[in-house]
Amino acid sequence: MTQNPWRNWTQARVGLGRYGSSVPTREHLKILEAQALARDSLWRSWNTAPLEKFLASEAIPFQVAATEVRDRQHYLMRPDLGRRLHADSFQSLKNWKPAADTELVFCVTDGLSTDAMDKQLIPFLKHFLPALRAEAFFRQKPYPFVLLPFARVATADAVAEALKSRLSVIFVGERPGLSAHDSMGIYLTYNPSIGTLDSRRNCISNVRVPDGLGYELATQQLLYLLRESLRLGLSGVELKLDLPATGGVITSG
């Protein structure tokens, strides 16, 4: 095969061509590069300083909290500990009195892709926050952010329980693959508490510019879910996306 029309439509590694019984050297080197990018994104430490600086510039209260994980290898070997908020952090959040509306809390974790947080989160927030402030349910006070290195999605349940929040949203680096090493996921849960089932979460996946879901579309979808979750008092499999077809990726549970 000398031409590859599929590459105009997908990043999947199809129609790569061949040289003898193997793929061409060019494509082989691209695969090795993709593997290296995925490994680096998985293992590299997350520097929260740029995000802290951005949140401070937006006058948004935030805290950095810890799970029971001590380092990246521990995080990969013990996913259960990544779901547990450290007792000291839980108590610190319970005692926290931010100048913010804690009805809704935003959590952020590097998860399995540090590149996702470094490349996608702040540009997305620059689209999302102005639109959030224009919503009817916004009560003129910022919502707090909690930064959670080495955390899993369920850690947001404990954060919301400590702050007595009605709704939690967590931004997480998604598992890197050979086509995407910097993809961000967003999970929303209504009335979260420790032990909440995954079926009660909504997920917006593959937020990734320029090749995945764009910031404008992800903003529309997240605002819709926030609006409807607060109005109906539910989330997860009971909350459906009722927007015009947009080409994005959204799931329940």
Side-chain angles (χ1 to χ4, degrees):
M1 181 180 293
T2 58
Q3 294 183 339
N4 182 3
W6 301 106
R7 300 298 287 177
N8 295 327
W9 302 97
T10 177
Q11 287 187 293
R13 295 183 185 280
V14 295
L16 300 182
R18 62 185 174 86
Y19 187 81
S21 60
S22 184
V23 297
T25 300
R26 180 185 63 253
E27 297 298 336
H28 178 66
L29 292 175
K30 287 181 179 178
I31 292 172
L32 294 180
E33 180 188 33
Q35 289 175 332
L37 289 170
R39 279 197 300 268
D40 287 350
S41 186
L42 182 66
W43 283 98
R44 190 161 53 81
S45 298
W46 180 33
N47 178 9
T48 61
L51 178 57
E52 293 179 29
K53 182 178 180 182
F54 172 77
L55 294 175
S57 72
E58 294 284 328
I60 295 175
F62 66 90
Q63 271 208 15
V64 180
T67 65
E68 296 186 3
V69 172
R70 61 176 180 269
D71 56 36
R72 176 61 74 179
Q73 185 162 359
H74 198 210
Y75 176 77
L76 296 175
M77 295 177 69
R78 292 293 304 272
D80 56 320
L81 298 184
R83 300 186 185 98
R84 299 180 194 168
L85 188 63
H86 194 282
D88 292 346
S89 290
F90 185 81
Q91 192 59 46
S92 176
L93 288 171
K94 284 188 72 174
N95 297 334
W96 190 30
K97 305 295 181 187
D101 183 354
T102 56
E103 179 184 49
L104 167 58
V105 60
F106 290 102
C107 301
V108 182
T109 182
D110 47 345
L112 294 169
S113 173
T114 302
D115 284 352
M117 292 299 101
D118 289 348
K119 294 183 179 180
Q120 312 297 344
L121 181 60
I122 292 178
F124 168 76
L125 291 177
K126 288 179 178 177
H127 279 73
F128 173 70
L129 291 176
L132 174 67
R133 293 175 184 128
E135 285 290 321
F137 63 78
F138 185 76
R139 298 190 292 197
Q140 307 309 313
K141 293 177 71 175
Y143 298 111
F145 273 64
V146 177
L147 281 52
L148 296 160
F150 304 132
R152 305 274 175 172
V153 170
T155 318
D157 300 338
V159 171
E161 190 168 308
L163 294 176
K164 296 182 170 55
S165 301
R166 195 152 66 108
L167 198 61
S168 72
V169 172
I170 183 167
F171 303 100
V172 57
E174 296 184 320
R175 185 185 307 278
L178 294 185
S179 297
H181 61 91
D182 54 358
S183 179
M184 182 176 74
I186 307 171
Y187 289 80
L188 173 147
T189 310
Y190 182 82
N191 198 23
S193 61
I194 297 172
T196 294
L197 298 176
D198 287 343
S199 59
R200 289 188 46 218
R201 311 188 198 284
N202 291 87
C203 175
I204 301 170
S205 183
N206 195 32
V207 179
R208 182 169 58 97
V209 171
D211 298 312
L213 185 64
Y215 304 141
E216 187 65 37
L217 199 49
T219 291
Q220 290 178 27
Q221 294 187 350
L222 181 54
L223 288 175
Y224 175 88
L225 291 174
L226 288 170
R227 203 179 302 131
E228 290 300 285
S229 184
L230 289 169
R231 185 177 71 85
L232 299 171
L234 47 81
S235 62
V237 294
E238 296 179 300
L239 180 59
K240 304 299 181 186
L241 186 69
D242 190 19
L243 285 172
T246 53
V249 179
I250 186 167
T251 62
S252 296

